[in-house]
Amino acid sequence: MNSIGLVLSGGGVRGMAHIGLIKAMQEHGLEAKVVSGSSIGALVGAFYANDTPVETMLQFFKETPLFQYSFFAFGKPGFINTDRYAPILKKHFENDSFATLKKPLYVVATDMQNGLEKVFSEGQLIKPLLASAALSPVFSPVLIDDILYADGGIMNNFPKEYVDAESDFVIGSNVSIAGKLEQKDLSNSIQLATRITGLMVYASSHDKLQQCDLQIEPTELENIGVLDKKGIEKAYTIGYDYSMKVLDEKIAQG
């Protein structure tokens, strides 16, 4: 594995499994040279690209509030004002620049005005990270150069294409799981719409995951809510255990 590329999907709190994968990679002496991510995958990818310790990553997500009255959005779309998270990220990325990261990073967001996918890889770092993770309609879009950007998962939840040219071995981690539902779980329009969106995102992410040289997709994650902070430690453990098993098997196969 001369040059490893790491792709991290969106998936909310389930993205803590990405951190479990990173821990397992470290214990196997593996380090990615280039990273791409969407939504929570972009945030975890940025911490990894900045050589942030796994323990610090987990602590950040545990301590950062999701629903707090002072963060509520007033006068803008969304329930939570995404911009309120900028000072929190600034503590970890003081220079607020892609250039100061230790590894190349590709962050995907969605241009809400023109309906286009946008990848950020240079210049200002924090706003693209916030935009990529601005899960609609919960979090407000982020204004960058007079364009409103939101969740990267809308257009591209598994941005593998951005690491292909710079790596000869790609590790992909998909935490957007769409498991089986019972009929009672599809009893109203909201549940139906949520299911349709989830299946579309899963289908796209899963298909591209199959193109990776090493595939991480723990189905146990489907029992963890996308915005359930109580699931942080569980998602991390699931990701770590699953990744250790897959990596051990890969090494045993030679």
Side-chain angles (χ1 to χ4, degrees):
M1 301 182 194
N2 297 323
S3 181
I4 298 174
L6 180 64
V7 187
L8 305 176
S9 79
V13 169
R14 297 171 181 175
M16 299 304 96
H18 294 324
I19 303 178
L21 164 61
I22 289 168
K23 178 68 172 176
M25 287 173 59
Q26 291 173 344
E27 293 186 3
H28 283 81
L30 301 175
E31 182 178 358
K33 302 301 181 186
V34 57
V35 188
S36 69
S38 190
S39 199
I40 190 68
L43 286 172
V44 173
F47 280 115
Y48 180 59
N50 205 40
D51 286 349
T52 303
V54 162
E55 295 73 21
T56 304
M57 293 188 209
L58 278 174
Q59 201 61 30
F60 167 81
F61 289 105
K62 287 178 180 178
E63 293 178 351
T64 301
L66 279 180
F67 302 105
Q68 181 170 299
Y69 180 75
S70 61
F71 280 32
F72 283 1
F74 298 101
K76 61 170 63 178
F79 300 109
I80 305 296
N81 185 351
T82 308
D83 291 322
R84 293 300 302 269
Y85 292 91
I88 300 175
L89 279 176
K90 192 75 162 64
K91 295 176 183 177
H92 295 270
F93 303 98
E94 294 181 0
N95 296 306
D96 188 14
S97 172
F98 278 90
T100 59
L101 297 175
K102 310 299 189 297
K103 302 175 177 66
L105 172 69
Y106 295 91
V107 171
V108 172
T110 300
D111 176 342
M112 298 297 284
Q113 293 170 234
N114 298 294
L116 298 171
E117 175 181 332
K118 171 71 175 179
V119 62
F120 295 91
S121 60
E122 57 185 21
Q124 191 178 20
L125 173 65
I126 291 176
K127 279 203 168 188
L129 289 178
L130 291 174
S132 183
L135 178 67
S136 297
V138 178
F139 297 94
S140 64
V142 175
L143 190 65
I144 303 174
D145 297 330
D146 292 325
I147 297 290
L148 287 171
Y149 292 95
D151 185 16
I154 297 170
M155 300 295 286
N156 188 350
N157 197 55
F158 194 81
K160 175 181 179 289
E161 52 270 46
Y162 298 109
V163 306
D164 284 341
E166 300 178 47
S167 53
D168 51 30
F169 188 93
V170 178
I171 298 176
S173 179
N174 177 39
V175 299
S176 289
I177 309 297
K180 183 179 179 181
L181 291 183
E182 302 297 329
Q183 286 187 19
K184 63 180 177 61
D185 298 318
L186 295 171
S187 59
N188 60 56
S189 297
I190 294 176
Q191 289 178 330
L192 182 61
T194 300
R195 178 61 167 175
I196 290 170
T197 302
L199 287 173
M200 289 171 64
V201 170
Y202 171 73
S204 172
S205 301
H206 183 75
D207 284 350
K208 287 202 283 184
L209 178 70
Q210 301 310 303
Q211 301 167 20
C212 294
D213 298 288
L214 194 71
Q215 303 152 12
I216 305 297
E217 191 178 62
T219 55
E220 285 182 71
L221 292 171
E222 69 180 287
N223 298 316
I224 298 174
V226 172
L227 295 175
D228 181 12
K229 284 193 66 176
K230 294 179 181 178
I232 287 178
E233 195 69 42
K234 184 178 180 181
Y236 166 76
T237 301
I238 289 172
Y240 172 76
D241 290 343
Y242 186 90
S243 299
M244 287 293 288
K245 179 183 176 183
V246 172
L247 286 170
D248 286 343
E249 289 174 353
K250 184 70 175 179
I251 291 172
Q253 293 170 2

